[in-house]
Amino acid sequence: MIVELDNADFSKCRELLNEQGQLEAKAVVERINPGRIFVDNRDNPSSGLIWLGNNDGFVFFGSEQNEEFINKLNDLIDNIIIPEAKKVQLKWFEGV
């Protein structure tokens, strides 16, 4: 199951980000920039997806071999991402 983290728990993802990775993703995890984080496990995440707060796109992070997370992505997109994106009139997105 994929769950959304509370802002107070964003730091749980800090070690999962690529050190040379997306600066925007780091800013969300550090709560400098707005955004939402969805992970495979609320207490001990190993994979996740950051929805950048400026609706600029999505950044995947963590284990790329986490089959349980990968298999649940379509449900997340269909049931959370698409309805929320429609509310702010987004018609497409970019995933990195």
Side-chain angles (χ1 to χ4, degrees), residues 79-90:
N79 297 313
I80 304 293
I81 304 298
I82 289 175
E84 294 290 324
K86 285 181 179 180
K87 288 179 186 177
V88 293
Q89 299 178 341
L90 291 177

Side-chain angles (χ1 to χ4, degrees), residues 41-95:
N41 183 302
R42 185 179 314 281
D43 298 319
N44 189 24
S46 62
S47 299
L49 175 69
I50 296 173
W51 187 348
L52 301 173
N54 58 0
N55 292 326
D56 210 19
F58 297 83
V59 178
F60 294 92
F61 65 91
S63 174
E64 70 276 2
Q65 296 181 17
N66 185 339
E67 289 187 34
E68 185 177 345
F69 180 78
I70 293 167
N71 290 335
K72 298 292 183 183
L73 280 174
N74 282 337
D75 288 337
L76 174 69
I77 292 169
D78 291 344
N79 297 313
I80 304 293
I81 304 298
I82 289 175
E84 294 290 324
K86 285 181 179 180
K87 288 179 186 177
V88 293
Q89 299 178 341
L90 291 177
K91 296 183 183 210
W92 57 85
F93 66 85
E94 177 180 48

Side-chain angles (χ1 to χ4, degrees), residues 5-14 28-29 31 37:
L5 285 181
D6 293 326
N7 289 1
D9 293 326
F10 283 8
S11 63
K12 292 178 181 180
C13 302
R14 187 177 291 130
V28 171
V29 169
R31 297 171 43 193
I37 300 179

